Short mmCIF file of all heavy atoms in Angstrom, two decimals:
data_model
loop_
_atom_site.label_atom_id
_atom_site.label_comp_id
_atom_site.label_asym_id
_atom_site.label_seq_id
_atom_site.Cartn_x
_atom_site.Cartn_y
_atom_site.Cartn_z
N ARG A 21 11.67 11.07 -0.01
CA ARG A 21 11.07 9.78 -0.31
C ARG A 21 10.03 9.77 0.83
O ARG A 21 10.45 9.98 1.96
CB ARG A 21 11.98 8.61 -0.20
CG ARG A 21 11.48 7.15 -0.48
CD ARG A 21 12.49 6.30 -0.68
NE ARG A 21 13.57 6.60 -1.71
CZ ARG A 21 14.48 5.74 -1.99
NH1 ARG A 21 14.58 4.48 -1.45
NH2 ARG A 21 15.33 5.97 -2.99
N GLU A 22 8.76 9.34 0.56
CA GLU A 22 7.69 9.18 1.49
C GLU A 22 7.07 7.83 1.59
O GLU A 22 6.91 7.24 0.40
CB GLU A 22 6.70 10.37 1.36
CG GLU A 22 5.91 10.08 -0.03
CD GLU A 22 4.65 11.05 -0.08
OE1 GLU A 22 4.51 11.86 0.86
OE2 GLU A 22 4.07 11.04 -1.18
N LEU A 23 6.76 7.48 2.72
CA LEU A 23 5.98 6.16 2.88
C LEU A 23 4.49 6.31 2.47
O LEU A 23 3.79 7.16 2.93
CB LEU A 23 6.03 5.82 4.39
CG LEU A 23 5.35 4.46 4.74
CD1 LEU A 23 5.94 3.21 4.09
CD2 LEU A 23 5.33 4.23 6.27
N VAL A 24 4.21 5.36 1.51
CA VAL A 24 2.86 5.44 1.02
C VAL A 24 1.87 4.44 1.87
O VAL A 24 0.80 4.68 2.12
CB VAL A 24 2.82 5.05 -0.45
CG1 VAL A 24 1.43 4.93 -0.98
CG2 VAL A 24 3.62 6.05 -1.31
N ALA A 25 2.44 3.14 1.96
CA ALA A 25 1.66 2.12 2.49
C ALA A 25 2.56 1.14 3.15
O ALA A 25 3.80 0.85 2.63
CB ALA A 25 0.70 1.40 1.62
N ARG A 26 2.13 0.48 4.22
CA ARG A 26 2.93 -0.67 4.91
C ARG A 26 2.02 -1.71 5.36
O ARG A 26 0.81 -1.46 5.80
CB ARG A 26 3.70 -0.03 6.15
CG ARG A 26 4.60 -1.03 6.75
CD ARG A 26 5.24 -0.49 7.91
NE ARG A 26 6.24 0.66 7.58
CZ ARG A 26 7.49 0.61 7.02
NH1 ARG A 26 7.94 -0.63 6.63
NH2 ARG A 26 8.19 1.60 6.84
N ILE A 27 2.40 -2.90 5.34
CA ILE A 27 1.74 -3.89 5.61
C ILE A 27 2.69 -4.90 6.66
O ILE A 27 3.84 -5.08 6.34
CB ILE A 27 1.28 -4.99 4.47
CG1 ILE A 27 0.48 -6.15 5.07
CG2 ILE A 27 2.36 -5.49 3.72
CD1 ILE A 27 -0.47 -6.82 4.04
N PHE A 28 2.07 -5.15 7.81
CA PHE A 28 2.94 -5.71 8.86
C PHE A 28 2.93 -7.29 8.83
O PHE A 28 2.19 -7.77 7.98
CB PHE A 28 2.63 -5.23 10.24
CG PHE A 28 2.58 -3.68 10.35
CD1 PHE A 28 1.60 -2.89 10.02
CD2 PHE A 28 3.77 -3.26 10.81
CE1 PHE A 28 1.77 -1.52 10.06
CE2 PHE A 28 4.12 -1.88 10.92
CZ PHE A 28 2.89 -1.00 10.53
N THR A 29 3.62 -7.97 9.54
CA THR A 29 3.74 -9.35 9.58
C THR A 29 2.33 -10.05 9.80
O THR A 29 2.11 -11.12 9.37
CB THR A 29 4.88 -9.90 10.48
OG1 THR A 29 4.56 -9.36 11.84
CG2 THR A 29 6.26 -9.39 9.97
N ASN A 30 1.57 -9.35 10.61
CA ASN A 30 0.21 -9.95 10.93
C ASN A 30 -0.86 -9.43 9.94
O ASN A 30 -2.01 -9.59 10.16
CB ASN A 30 -0.26 -9.52 12.31
CG ASN A 30 -0.30 -8.07 12.55
OD1 ASN A 30 -0.11 -7.22 11.65
ND2 ASN A 30 -0.77 -7.53 13.57
N SER A 31 -0.28 -8.87 8.89
CA SER A 31 -1.14 -8.28 7.75
C SER A 31 -1.98 -6.99 8.03
O SER A 31 -2.92 -6.62 7.34
CB SER A 31 -2.09 -9.46 7.19
OG SER A 31 -1.23 -10.38 6.55
N ASP A 32 -1.77 -6.49 9.32
CA ASP A 32 -2.35 -5.22 9.49
C ASP A 32 -1.71 -4.15 8.48
O ASP A 32 -0.53 -4.29 8.10
CB ASP A 32 -2.02 -4.64 10.89
CG ASP A 32 -2.82 -5.40 11.91
OD1 ASP A 32 -3.89 -5.91 11.52
OD2 ASP A 32 -2.63 -5.21 13.15
N THR A 33 -2.48 -3.14 8.12
CA THR A 33 -1.90 -2.21 7.13
C THR A 33 -1.94 -0.68 7.57
O THR A 33 -2.75 -0.33 8.49
CB THR A 33 -2.73 -2.33 5.72
OG1 THR A 33 -4.09 -1.94 6.10
CG2 THR A 33 -2.47 -3.65 5.24
N TRP A 34 -1.20 0.01 7.08
CA TRP A 34 -1.22 1.41 7.29
C TRP A 34 -1.16 2.20 5.92
O TRP A 34 -0.40 1.71 5.11
CB TRP A 34 -0.13 2.01 8.09
CG TRP A 34 -0.07 3.54 8.39
CD1 TRP A 34 -0.65 4.12 9.37
CD2 TRP A 34 0.65 4.41 7.59
NE1 TRP A 34 -0.26 5.48 9.22
CE2 TRP A 34 0.53 5.65 8.14
CE3 TRP A 34 1.46 4.27 6.34
CZ2 TRP A 34 1.02 6.71 7.55
CZ3 TRP A 34 1.94 5.40 5.81
CH2 TRP A 34 1.84 6.66 6.42
N ASN A 35 -1.96 3.27 5.80
CA ASN A 35 -1.83 4.01 4.41
C ASN A 35 -1.67 5.57 4.79
O ASN A 35 -2.25 6.11 5.62
CB ASN A 35 -3.03 3.77 3.66
CG ASN A 35 -3.23 2.44 3.02
OD1 ASN A 35 -2.59 2.07 2.10
ND2 ASN A 35 -4.06 1.70 3.60
N GLU A 36 -0.93 6.11 3.89
CA GLU A 36 -0.73 7.59 3.92
C GLU A 36 -1.98 8.20 3.63
O GLU A 36 -2.73 7.72 2.87
CB GLU A 36 0.38 8.08 2.88
CG GLU A 36 0.94 9.41 3.17
CD GLU A 36 0.08 10.37 2.45
OE1 GLU A 36 -0.34 10.03 1.42
OE2 GLU A 36 -0.12 11.47 2.89
N GLU A 37 -2.31 9.36 4.34
CA GLU A 37 -3.64 10.05 4.15
C GLU A 37 -4.15 10.22 2.84
O GLU A 37 -5.21 9.95 2.42
CB GLU A 37 -3.59 11.24 5.08
CG GLU A 37 -5.01 11.81 5.18
CD GLU A 37 -5.86 11.09 5.99
OE1 GLU A 37 -5.36 10.31 6.99
OE2 GLU A 37 -7.19 11.01 5.82
N SER A 38 -3.26 10.65 1.87
CA SER A 38 -3.65 11.02 0.57
C SER A 38 -4.05 9.99 -0.28
O SER A 38 -4.58 10.03 -1.42
CB SER A 38 -2.56 11.80 -0.09
OG SER A 38 -1.40 11.08 -0.49
N VAL A 39 -3.61 8.77 0.07
CA VAL A 39 -3.98 7.49 -0.66
C VAL A 39 -5.09 6.60 -0.12
O VAL A 39 -5.42 5.67 -0.73
CB VAL A 39 -2.76 6.67 -0.98
CG1 VAL A 39 -1.68 7.51 -1.57
CG2 VAL A 39 -2.32 5.90 0.22
N LYS A 40 -5.57 6.86 0.99
CA LYS A 40 -6.57 6.10 1.74
C LYS A 40 -7.77 6.07 0.78
O LYS A 40 -8.30 7.13 0.33
CB LYS A 40 -7.00 6.82 2.97
CG LYS A 40 -5.96 6.56 4.15
CD LYS A 40 -6.37 7.06 5.55
CE LYS A 40 -5.30 6.78 6.53
NZ LYS A 40 -5.67 7.39 7.91
N GLY A 41 -8.25 4.99 0.71
CA GLY A 41 -9.54 4.78 -0.17
C GLY A 41 -9.18 4.52 -1.62
O GLY A 41 -10.07 4.12 -2.50
N ARG A 42 -7.86 4.66 -1.97
CA ARG A 42 -7.52 4.57 -3.47
C ARG A 42 -6.41 3.41 -3.54
O ARG A 42 -6.49 2.71 -4.57
CB ARG A 42 -6.95 5.88 -3.94
CG ARG A 42 -7.86 7.02 -3.90
CD ARG A 42 -7.38 8.26 -4.68
NE ARG A 42 -6.07 8.71 -4.11
CZ ARG A 42 -4.98 8.88 -4.76
NH1 ARG A 42 -5.00 8.47 -6.08
NH2 ARG A 42 -3.84 9.35 -4.21
N PHE A 43 -5.58 3.39 -2.73
CA PHE A 43 -4.45 2.35 -2.72
C PHE A 43 -4.65 1.27 -1.67
O PHE A 43 -5.05 1.50 -0.60
CB PHE A 43 -3.18 2.99 -2.37
CG PHE A 43 -2.56 3.98 -3.55
CD1 PHE A 43 -3.34 4.44 -4.47
CD2 PHE A 43 -1.31 4.42 -3.34
CE1 PHE A 43 -2.92 5.34 -5.49
CE2 PHE A 43 -0.83 5.26 -4.37
CZ PHE A 43 -1.58 5.75 -5.38
N THR A 44 -4.26 0.08 -1.99
CA THR A 44 -4.43 -1.14 -1.08
C THR A 44 -3.07 -1.97 -1.24
O THR A 44 -2.78 -2.28 -2.30
CB THR A 44 -5.55 -1.98 -1.49
OG1 THR A 44 -6.74 -1.16 -1.51
CG2 THR A 44 -5.66 -3.18 -0.63
N ILE A 45 -2.59 -2.12 -0.06
CA ILE A 45 -1.31 -2.97 -0.01
C ILE A 45 -1.73 -4.28 0.43
O ILE A 45 -2.52 -4.44 1.26
CB ILE A 45 -0.23 -2.38 1.01
CG1 ILE A 45 0.98 -3.07 0.82
CG2 ILE A 45 -0.73 -2.28 2.31
CD1 ILE A 45 2.22 -2.41 1.48
N SER A 46 -1.07 -5.38 -0.08
CA SER A 46 -1.40 -6.70 0.24
C SER A 46 -0.10 -7.53 0.12
O SER A 46 0.92 -7.10 -0.45
CB SER A 46 -2.50 -7.30 -0.52
OG SER A 46 -2.10 -7.42 -1.95
N ARG A 47 -0.06 -8.61 0.73
CA ARG A 47 1.09 -9.57 0.59
C ARG A 47 0.66 -11.06 0.53
O ARG A 47 -0.32 -11.37 0.86
CB ARG A 47 1.97 -9.39 1.81
CG ARG A 47 1.41 -9.77 3.23
CD ARG A 47 2.21 -9.43 4.34
NE ARG A 47 3.64 -9.98 4.36
CZ ARG A 47 4.63 -9.56 5.13
NH1 ARG A 47 4.59 -8.42 5.84
NH2 ARG A 47 5.79 -10.19 4.93
N ASP A 48 1.56 -11.70 -0.18
CA ASP A 48 1.43 -13.08 -0.41
C ASP A 48 2.73 -13.84 0.18
O ASP A 48 3.76 -13.77 -0.59
CB ASP A 48 1.17 -13.39 -1.79
CG ASP A 48 0.82 -14.98 -2.07
OD1 ASP A 48 1.32 -15.74 -1.29
OD2 ASP A 48 0.17 -15.38 -2.97
N ASN A 49 2.72 -14.38 1.29
CA ASN A 49 3.89 -14.96 1.84
C ASN A 49 4.37 -16.19 1.27
O ASN A 49 5.54 -16.44 1.19
CB ASN A 49 3.75 -15.18 3.49
CG ASN A 49 3.52 -13.92 4.31
OD1 ASN A 49 4.05 -12.89 3.85
ND2 ASN A 49 3.08 -14.10 5.42
N ALA A 50 3.49 -16.84 0.69
CA ALA A 50 3.84 -18.11 -0.17
C ALA A 50 4.64 -17.69 -1.38
O ALA A 50 5.54 -18.39 -1.80
CB ALA A 50 2.64 -18.96 -0.58
N LYS A 51 4.28 -16.55 -2.02
CA LYS A 51 5.02 -16.11 -3.23
C LYS A 51 6.02 -15.19 -2.97
O LYS A 51 6.74 -14.57 -3.83
CB LYS A 51 3.99 -15.59 -4.20
CG LYS A 51 2.94 -16.59 -4.67
CD LYS A 51 2.08 -15.88 -5.74
CE LYS A 51 1.03 -16.90 -6.28
NZ LYS A 51 0.11 -16.23 -7.21
N HIS A 52 6.28 -14.69 -1.62
CA HIS A 52 7.19 -13.72 -1.24
C HIS A 52 7.08 -12.43 -2.07
O HIS A 52 7.97 -11.86 -2.60
CB HIS A 52 8.67 -14.25 -1.54
CG HIS A 52 9.05 -15.47 -0.62
ND1 HIS A 52 10.37 -16.02 -0.62
CD2 HIS A 52 8.39 -16.16 0.21
CE1 HIS A 52 10.24 -17.04 0.19
NE2 HIS A 52 9.01 -17.14 0.69
N THR A 53 5.76 -12.02 -2.12
CA THR A 53 5.54 -10.92 -2.98
C THR A 53 4.54 -9.94 -2.19
O THR A 53 3.64 -10.37 -1.54
CB THR A 53 4.90 -11.35 -4.26
OG1 THR A 53 5.77 -12.15 -5.01
CG2 THR A 53 4.53 -10.05 -5.32
N VAL A 54 4.87 -8.58 -2.35
CA VAL A 54 4.02 -7.61 -1.84
C VAL A 54 3.44 -6.78 -3.09
O VAL A 54 4.08 -6.62 -4.09
CB VAL A 54 4.66 -6.65 -0.90
CG1 VAL A 54 5.90 -6.06 -1.42
CG2 VAL A 54 3.76 -5.79 -0.18
N TYR A 55 2.13 -6.33 -2.93
CA TYR A 55 1.48 -5.82 -4.06
C TYR A 55 0.97 -4.48 -3.58
O TYR A 55 0.89 -4.08 -2.43
CB TYR A 55 0.33 -6.40 -4.48
CG TYR A 55 0.62 -7.92 -4.88
CD1 TYR A 55 0.47 -8.96 -3.94
CD2 TYR A 55 1.00 -8.25 -6.13
CE1 TYR A 55 0.66 -10.27 -4.40
CE2 TYR A 55 1.35 -9.57 -6.51
CZ TYR A 55 1.13 -10.56 -5.59
OH TYR A 55 1.43 -11.76 -5.95
N LEU A 56 0.78 -3.40 -4.55
CA LEU A 56 0.20 -2.17 -4.29
C LEU A 56 -0.80 -1.94 -5.32
O LEU A 56 -0.54 -1.68 -6.42
CB LEU A 56 1.09 -0.96 -4.19
CG LEU A 56 0.64 0.34 -3.88
CD1 LEU A 56 0.10 0.28 -2.27
CD2 LEU A 56 1.57 1.52 -3.95
N GLN A 57 -2.05 -2.13 -5.11
CA GLN A 57 -3.02 -1.85 -6.03
C GLN A 57 -3.41 -0.35 -5.90
O GLN A 57 -3.86 0.16 -4.90
CB GLN A 57 -4.40 -2.68 -5.69
CG GLN A 57 -5.51 -2.36 -6.71
CD GLN A 57 -5.24 -2.72 -8.10
OE1 GLN A 57 -4.69 -3.86 -8.28
NE2 GLN A 57 -5.65 -2.00 -9.03
N MET A 58 -3.34 0.27 -7.00
CA MET A 58 -3.59 1.82 -7.01
C MET A 58 -4.75 2.17 -7.95
O MET A 58 -4.64 1.88 -9.20
CB MET A 58 -2.19 2.43 -7.58
CG MET A 58 -1.06 2.09 -6.75
SD MET A 58 0.47 3.15 -7.22
CE MET A 58 0.65 2.66 -8.84
N ASN A 59 -5.67 2.77 -7.45
CA ASN A 59 -6.95 3.06 -8.22
C ASN A 59 -7.20 4.59 -8.15
O ASN A 59 -6.57 5.30 -7.31
CB ASN A 59 -8.22 2.33 -7.55
CG ASN A 59 -8.16 0.86 -7.75
OD1 ASN A 59 -7.52 0.35 -8.63
ND2 ASN A 59 -8.64 0.18 -6.76
N THR A 60 -7.89 5.07 -9.14
CA THR A 60 -8.21 6.45 -9.20
C THR A 60 -7.02 7.31 -9.05
O THR A 60 -6.76 8.31 -8.25
CB THR A 60 -9.25 6.93 -8.01
OG1 THR A 60 -10.22 5.89 -7.92
CG2 THR A 60 -9.93 8.22 -8.30
N LEU A 61 -6.01 7.04 -9.93
CA LEU A 61 -4.76 7.72 -9.93
C LEU A 61 -4.79 9.09 -10.30
O LEU A 61 -5.68 9.60 -11.18
CB LEU A 61 -3.68 6.90 -10.80
CG LEU A 61 -3.23 5.73 -10.24
CD1 LEU A 61 -2.66 4.73 -11.26
CD2 LEU A 61 -2.12 6.02 -9.15
N LYS A 62 -3.99 9.98 -9.68
CA LYS A 62 -3.98 11.38 -9.94
C LYS A 62 -2.56 11.86 -10.44
O LYS A 62 -1.59 11.13 -10.14
CB LYS A 62 -4.25 12.14 -8.58
CG LYS A 62 -5.63 11.69 -7.90
CD LYS A 62 -5.79 12.47 -6.59
CE LYS A 62 -7.16 12.01 -5.88
NZ LYS A 62 -7.27 12.78 -4.64
N PRO A 63 -2.46 12.98 -11.02
CA PRO A 63 -1.15 13.35 -11.51
C PRO A 63 -0.16 13.51 -10.26
O PRO A 63 1.09 13.33 -10.59
CB PRO A 63 -1.51 14.75 -12.18
CG PRO A 63 -2.90 14.63 -12.58
CD PRO A 63 -3.64 13.74 -11.67
N GLU A 64 -0.77 13.90 -9.16
CA GLU A 64 0.24 14.05 -7.87
C GLU A 64 0.76 12.61 -7.56
O GLU A 64 1.52 12.67 -6.64
CB GLU A 64 -0.40 14.90 -6.89
CG GLU A 64 -1.76 14.30 -6.48
CD GLU A 64 -3.00 15.21 -7.14
OE1 GLU A 64 -2.85 15.44 -8.44
OE2 GLU A 64 -3.79 15.40 -6.44
N ASP A 65 0.19 11.53 -8.12
CA ASP A 65 0.75 10.23 -7.62
C ASP A 65 2.05 9.97 -8.42
O ASP A 65 2.58 8.95 -8.21
CB ASP A 65 -0.30 9.15 -7.87
CG ASP A 65 -1.46 9.31 -6.98
OD1 ASP A 65 -1.26 9.70 -5.82
OD2 ASP A 65 -2.62 9.11 -7.47
#
């Protein structure tokens, strides 16, 4: 298991190198929900 993306309590983010520019992590604290928008998907994803 590998970390793909993380979003911190201050909404700073970190992305694994292979997904930079393609994946975006976000959070909605009011909805208690975290999202991962994945674009330009590849078979290796």
